[in-house]
Amino acid sequence: MKTLRQIMTLLVMACIVFASSTAFAASLQDEVLNEVNLERTAAGIQPLSGIVYLDQAAGTRAQEASVLFAHQRPDGSPVKSVLNGASCSWFGENLAISSVVDAKKIVRAWMGSPTHRANLLNHHFTKMGVSCVRGNDGHYYWAMELIGDCPWLTGEDRTGYSRAGCMDSCSLFSLYRGMVGSAGKAPCLAGGERMR
C-alpha cells in the first residue's frame, strides 16, 4: 500500500510538472509577444500576431542555436529553410543567449541592438513565433521567427496576452557577445530579408 501511494504521488507530480511546463512555454511566448507589441505600438507600427506554426519553427531554431549559434542551420542550410520550403515575402530571425528566462529583458536586449531592433520594428512583418530552450551548457537559447505577406499560412493564432514580466525577480541577464560572431556582433538579417 505504501509503494502504491508513492507511485501515485510520483505520477501526480509528473503530471503537474508536464502541465506546468506546457503552460510556462505558452505564457513565455505570450509575454514576448506582448513586450514586442508594446514596442511596436509605441513606434506607431501594427502589432504582430503570434502563430503556433512559427512557435514550432522557433523551437527548432532555438534548439539548433544551442548547437550552432548562427543564422544558419547546423546542416549548413539557410535559416529560412525552417519554414519547410514555404515562401513569404519577408522573413527575419532574432537569436539570443541568456542566463535567465525573462521575456522583458530579452526584448529589451533585442531593442538595444540595431539589427535586432530593425527586425522587431519592421512594418513588413505581421506574424511571429518565439521559443527558448535550455542548452546543455546551462544557458538559454532564444529564437524569434518573423514573417510577412505569407498567404499560405493559415495556422492557428495565439491570442490573448498573459501578464507581462512575471519573472522580474530574475535579475541576471547577459547577451554573450563572444558566442555570436567574429566581430562581436550577431550575424543578423538586418531589418529582415526579402525572400526570393
Side-chain angles (χ1 to χ4, degrees), residues 1-10:
M1 192 65 163
K2 183 178 177 181
T3 305
L4 181 60
R5 201 173 318 144
Q6 289 173 331
I7 292 172
M8 291 302 289
T9 301
L10 287 173

Side-chain angles (χ1 to χ4, degrees), residues 17 28 72 76 81 91 97 109 120 127 178:
V17 167
L28 179 65
Q72 178 179 350
S81 67
F91 174 86
I97 304 170
L120 292 180
K127 297 172 180 25

